[in-house]
Amino acid sequence: MTTDSRLVMSQGPQPGQTFMIDRDVVTIGRDPANDIVINDPQASRQHAHIKRQGNLMIIEDLGSTNGTFANGVRLTNPHTLSNGDVIGLGDSVRLTYHGASPDASMTAPTEVLVGEPTAPLQASYTPPPPPTPSPSPQPAPPPAYAAPPPPPASAPPPPYAPAPPIEEKKSRTGLWLGCGCLVLLVIFVCVGMFVLDYFEMLPPVFYQPLYWLGLDKFLVQ
């Protein structure tokens, strides 16, 4: 393993302390038996380790309580270190990795992306469906029977005029009779005045009404 790979504590119990990575496996934790001892409550006894695989430096969490972080992301799988990576142990310890960065060709991802085709798709020809025969035109339905319009409403009959009361006719008849009798009486008086000389020869029925009317003075000679 190269001797220029190292971790420098930027935050923790001993800021600025440098830890050399000079073994194939370097253990990190709070236990004094580790290669890099971090005496901090956030660090587990066996927190993480760094392994050398060819020219790669790979850090892996060992099931710590507060987690191992690489550039702020908690590790769930091994992580290949690059120069300048910040390793976090919990929330209180920060270690900066200094060393050679892996080649891009060595760290190219080999997994297949979800939805990415792994082989060119073969074009498949699907024959078009046979044409569907169009239905024959149906004759138009006969027009619906329309009911004739209702006849116009007839004019209402004129209001009924009540017949004049019978009492009015009787009163008029009596009036005419009275007038007729008066006229006959006047005529009778006038005739009596001209035939006064012969009036005493008449029966009393003819001159009795004169007494009633106060005309008896005409009877005196």
Side-chain angles (χ1 to χ4, degrees), residues 33-157:
N34 290 292
D35 299 314
I36 299 176
V37 179
I38 306 296
N39 190 12
D40 188 272
Q42 290 284 322
S44 299
R45 296 177 62 83
Q46 304 292 331
H47 201 102
H49 63 205
I50 298 175
K51 288 185 178 182
R52 177 179 181 272
Q53 294 183 2
N55 295 326
L56 303 179
M57 299 293 181
I58 300 175
I59 185 171
E60 183 177 2
D61 184 76
L62 298 179
S64 61
T65 302
N66 298 308
T68 302
F69 299 83
N71 301 321
V73 180
R74 186 164 185 169
L75 299 181
T76 57
N77 294 308
H79 171 73
T80 301
L81 293 173
S82 298
N83 187 40
D85 283 355
V86 177
I87 305 302
L89 306 180
D91 297 332
S92 59
V93 179
R94 296 292 182 269
L95 302 169
T96 303
Y97 171 75
H98 296 277
S101 298
D103 296 336
S105 60
M106 299 177 61
T107 60
T110 58
E111 64 273 9
V112 178
L113 298 177
V114 176
E116 180 181 355
T118 57
L121 299 177
Q122 296 181 356
S124 59
Y125 172 75
T126 302
T132 304
S134 60
S136 59
Q138 300 292 334
Y145 172 74
S154 59

Side-chain angles (χ1 to χ4, degrees), residues 8 11 101 108 132 160 200:
V8 179
Q11 177 182 336
S101 298
T132 304
Y160 172 74
E200 294 179 354

Side-chain angles (χ1 to χ4, degrees), residues 131-194:
T132 304
S134 60
S136 59
Q138 300 292 334
Y145 172 74
S154 59
Y160 172 74
I166 301 176
E167 289 77 7
E168 185 177 357
K169 290 184 178 181
K170 291 182 179 181
S171 61
R172 290 183 180 181
T173 303
L175 179 62
W176 284 110
L177 291 176
C179 292
C181 293
L182 182 61
V183 171
L184 291 177
L185 183 59
V186 173
I187 293 173
F188 179 77
V189 171
C190 293
V191 173
M193 292 174 66
F194 288 102

